[in-house]
Amino acid sequence: AAATLWLSRMSAADKIGQMTQLDISMVLADGCPLRIDDAKLRRQLRVHRLGSLLNSPFSGTEPRCGSSGWNATDWRAAVEHIQTAAADEGLPPLIYGIDSVHGASYCRGATLLPQQLGLAASFDESLAAASGWITGKDSRAAATPWMFAPILGVAS
């Protein structure tokens, strides 16, 4: 019912915009500390009518601004900022996605886990299930409930 209500209020541009996903780097302030630039975020929301954002400001191999990531509290504040701005622009809540191939590794203090392919090679279903549960718990604590884990292993 809530989705039907949202759709009834959305213009064609809003609906098309829901298919638009940008990297968080497009809405970050310049310099340190790494933070959301409200003006950049709102401009992207107005122009593209975004449906989702993804990635971490700390993606890559080197620490940025003297840090390797935001903790769960920092992530929650950033995602809340994004959601408040989307609501102010008349948009439904944005989906925020983050790579979770090794658990919620972009969240400082989260549990670092083996890659899914390694878990599969163990043939231990309970270990794989526990890893998924931990990743979900850590990601949810950081307000990033949409987890990318693009690993596919097909036995032949």
Side-chain angles (χ1 to χ4, degrees), residues 7 17 19 30 33 43 68-69 74 77 82 105 125 128 141:
L7 286 169
M19 294 184 281
D30 296 327
R43 185 171 40 259
S68 59
D74 297 331
I82 291 163
S105 59
E125 293 177 18

Side-chain angles (χ1 to χ4, degrees), residues 64-87:
R64 292 186 63 196
C65 296
S67 180
S68 59
W70 287 333
N71 63 28
T73 301
D74 297 331
W75 271 110
R76 281 192 307 274
V79 172
E80 183 177 309
H81 182 159
I82 291 163
Q83 300 299 10
T84 298

Side-chain angles (χ1 to χ4, degrees), residues 36-87:
I36 303 291
D37 181 313
D38 192 62
K40 286 182 182 179
L41 172 62
R42 290 175 186 274
R43 185 171 40 259
Q44 294 290 359
L45 290 168
R46 274 192 300 279
V47 170
H48 298 294
R49 310 305 289 166
L50 298 180
S52 61
L53 284 168
L54 81 153
N55 220 339
S56 166
F58 300 91
S59 60
T61 58
E62 298 296 321
R64 292 186 63 196
C65 296
S67 180
S68 59
W70 287 333
N71 63 28
T73 301
D74 297 331
W75 271 110
R76 281 192 307 274
V79 172
E80 183 177 309
H81 182 159
I82 291 163
Q83 300 299 10
T84 298

Side-chain angles (χ1 to χ4, degrees), residues 113-135:
L113 297 164
Q115 200 173 57
Q116 292 94 336
L117 194 56
L119 288 169
S122 77
F123 295 98
D124 186 337
E125 293 177 18
S126 63
L127 180 62
S131 295
W133 186 87
I134 291 167
T135 301

